[in-house]
Amino acid sequence: MSGQSQRLNVVPTVTMLGVMKARLVGATRGHALLKKKSDALTVQFRTILKKIVSTKESMGDIMKTSSFALAEAKYVAGENIKHIVRQNVLNATLKVRSHQENVAGVKLPKFEYFIDGETKNDLTGLARGGQQVKSCRAAYVKSIELLVELATLQTSFLTLDEAIKTTNRRVNALENVVKPRIENTISYIKGELDELEREDFFRLKKIQGYKKREIERQREAAKAYADEKFAEEISLQRGVSLSSVHNMLSLASQKDEDIIF
């Protein structure tokens, strides 16, 4: 039963053998393509991982710089500066949009920020702290840019991780289940076809032997019939009995081994 579970349940015919060979070729090509896809995704995965590590390392420095810039703006312009900034801002000027990139058949999301509209904060910090407010805004814009990039990398990282797992499962299934099962099925069909060929050969040999024996029997019967007819003709011509004629023919057919010609 274990041998049958490792092969497909098919009828061992020449047509099915061709079908199995075609399926094996398809499985081999699919395995090679999926293996290349897995390698490409793994390379992209490692590249993104390196970018995530470097981005997170620089993220700490940029967020620290932004926090210091905010503290300087509050110290110079006062605590009420955040309310003044909120009053001047009606709509967000920094927005994020997304699109997809195709990497080896896997669609990776990519985010990018863009500026929509103008920032109306010309009068913010006019009395005091205007320069610090602008520096704080520039620092946080740079932080947002880095955060958007980090979001792209993290999302692509998770998507690639799942795609690599799925691809590797398919590669392992083709390599360890599908291809061995088809190969065992092909071996089974070839063995059954060889066994049928041996049976046909044995059957033909038996038929040829039977025909040969039948021809020999018919030949002996024809010879006996011809001898009998010849004996009857001699018996009628010479007027002797059939037994005497048979004795004469048997003596004539015998050869003396002591006489050398």
Side-chain angles (χ1 to χ4, degrees), residues 219-230:
R219 187 178 298 169
E220 291 177 358
K223 184 178 179 182
Y225 178 76
D227 293 341
E228 186 68 25
K229 292 292 290 182
F230 182 68

Side-chain angles (χ1 to χ4, degrees), residues 21 32 42 45 58 77 95 101 104 120 146 150 152 161 173 179:
K21 286 183 178 180
T42 303
F45 181 80
S58 60
K95 296 183 180 180
E101 288 185 350
K120 298 179 180 180
L146 202 62
L150 185 60
T152 300
D161 185 39
K179 288 180 63 178

